[in-house]
C-alpha cells in the first residue's frame, strides 16, 4: 500500500508514543525503524534486522529512573488512637467500635460536615454536641469523648444491643423506639448498621455476619 511520505511519517511518529521505554544498551537502539523489503514491502520494527538499511523514523526512547514514592503521613486512625482508647476506657467501650463508627461517619476527616449539619470525626449533630457539653465539635478530643458517651448511653438504653445502638446513633433513639425497637426502615440506616459492624469485625479479626446482633 502506498502512502504519502508526510502522512506515513506522521503515522509512525504517533506510534512512537506507544512503545514502552527500555533500559541499558537496548535504549540506544530503541525506536521505530522502517525496512523496505522486496517488492517495496514496508516493515515496521523496533530493531534493525536483515540486509535492508533501517531508517529511524522516531527518536530513540530513553528510560527514566523512577523517583522514590513520597513518604506517607501517619494514618489518621493512628493519630487519634490514643484519644479513642481513652474515651473507650472511660465509657466501657471496645475501642474498635469507636474506630468503626469514626471510619464510617467521617473517614477520619476532622473537618467533616454532613448535609444535615453533623460535625467532626463522630459526626455529632449540633444539638447533641451541646447537650454533651461540646464547645468545639471539630476538636478531636471533645468530639470523640462526647461521641463515646453518646454511644454508651444508647447501648444502655437498648439493652447493650449494638445493632440498635448504632441504628439510634444514625437515625435517633426516637426513631428506633417508634419502630418497635427495631432498626428503622430507612435506606441510610439499614446500610449504616452492617457497614459499621463489618468494619468492627474486621478490626477485631472476627468475621461477623451483617445481621449478627452481637458481634464478638
Amino acid at each position: 500500500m502506498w502512502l504519502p511520505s508526510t502522512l506515513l511519517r506522521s503515522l509512525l511518529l504517533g506510534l512512537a508514543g506507544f512503545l514502552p521505554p527500555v533500559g541499558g544498551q537496548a535504549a540506544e537502539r530503541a525506536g521505530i525503524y522502517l525496512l523496505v523489503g522486496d517488492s517495496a514491502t514496508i516493515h515496521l520494527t523496533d530493531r534493525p534486522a536483515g540486509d535492508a538499511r533501517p531508517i529511524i523514523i522516531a527518536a530513540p526512547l530513553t528510560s527514566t529512573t523512577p523517583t522514590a514514592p513520597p513518604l506517607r503521613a501517619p494514618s489518621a486512625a493512628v493519630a487519634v488512637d490514643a484519644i479513642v482508647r481513652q474515651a473507650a476506657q472511660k465509657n466501657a467501650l471496645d475501642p474498635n467500635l469507636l474506630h468503626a463508627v469514626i471510619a464510617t461517619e467521617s473517614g477520619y476527616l476532622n473537618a467533616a460536615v454532613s448535609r444535615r449539619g453533623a460535625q467532626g470525626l463522630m459526626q455529632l449533630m449540633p444539638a447533641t454536641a451541646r447537650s454533651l457539653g461540646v464547645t468545639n465539635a471539630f476538636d478531636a478530643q471533645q468530639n470523640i469523648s462526647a461521641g463515646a458517651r453518646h454511644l454508651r448511653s444508647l447501648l444502655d438504653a437498648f439493652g447493650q444491643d449494638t445493632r440498635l445502638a448504632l441504628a439510634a446513633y444514625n437515625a435517633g433513639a426516637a426513631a428506633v423506639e417508634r419502630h418497635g425497637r427495631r432498626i428503622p426502615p430507612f435506606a441510610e440506616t439499614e446500610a449504616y448498621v452492617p457497614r459499621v459492624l463489618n468494619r468492627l469485625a474486621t478490626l477485631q479479626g472476627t468475621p461477623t455476619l451483617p445481621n449478627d446482633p452481637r458481634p464478638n
Side-chain angles (χ1 to χ4, degrees):
M1 177 180 66
W2 179 86
L3 291 173
S5 60
T6 54
L7 177 58
L8 179 60
R9 182 177 180 84
S10 298
L11 175 62
L12 295 177
L13 285 173
L15 290 173
F18 293 95
L19 286 179
V22 295
Q25 295 179 353
E28 300 176 359
R29 303 175 59 192
I32 299 177
Y33 295 82
L34 175 65
L35 301 180
V36 181
D38 296 337
S39 302
T41 303
I42 296 175
H43 303 276
L44 297 179
T45 179
D46 61 348
R47 296 181 181 180
D51 297 330
R53 183 177 178 179
I55 301 175
I56 301 178
I57 303 299
L61 300 174
T62 58
S63 62
T64 57
T65 302
T67 57
L71 295 176
R72 293 185 178 181
S75 167
V78 174
V80 299
D81 186 63
I83 300 174
V84 167
R85 291 186 178 280
Q86 182 182 45
Q89 184 176 14
K90 285 185 177 180
N91 294 280
L93 295 171
D94 181 351
N96 290 319
L97 177 58
L98 289 182
H99 273 296
V101 170
I102 293 171
T104 303
E105 288 284 352
S106 66
Y108 292 96
L109 180 61
N110 195 50
V113 179
S114 76
R115 291 174 297 178
R116 297 178 181 176
Q119 301 172 331
L121 293 169
M122 294 192 71
Q123 291 289 275
L124 301 175
M125 292 297 292
T128 301
R130 285 193 298 271
S131 71
L132 293 167
V134 175
T135 58
N136 181 4
F138 300 108
D139 177 80
Q141 180 77 50
Q142 290 191 50
N143 190 288
I144 294 174
S145 176
R149 281 183 281 135
H150 182 44
L151 187 56
R152 175 74 268 166
S153 70
L154 293 173
L155 282 166
D156 293 342
F158 292 102
Q160 311 308 315
D161 189 320
T162 304
R163 293 173 68 251
L164 293 183
L166 291 173
Y169 194 95
N170 177 259
V176 176
E177 292 286 3
R178 191 165 60 250
H179 289 87
R181 296 176 74 87
R182 294 176 177 271
I183 296 177
F186 308 148
E188 178 184 332
T189 306
E190 289 176 333
Y192 174 85
V193 173
R195 188 178 301 127
V196 176
L197 291 179
N198 283 336
R199 280 178 169 150
L200 173 61
T202 299
L203 290 170
Q204 293 175 329
T206 54
T208 305
L209 293 176
N211 293 325
D212 186 349
R214 297 295 175 87
N216 294 320

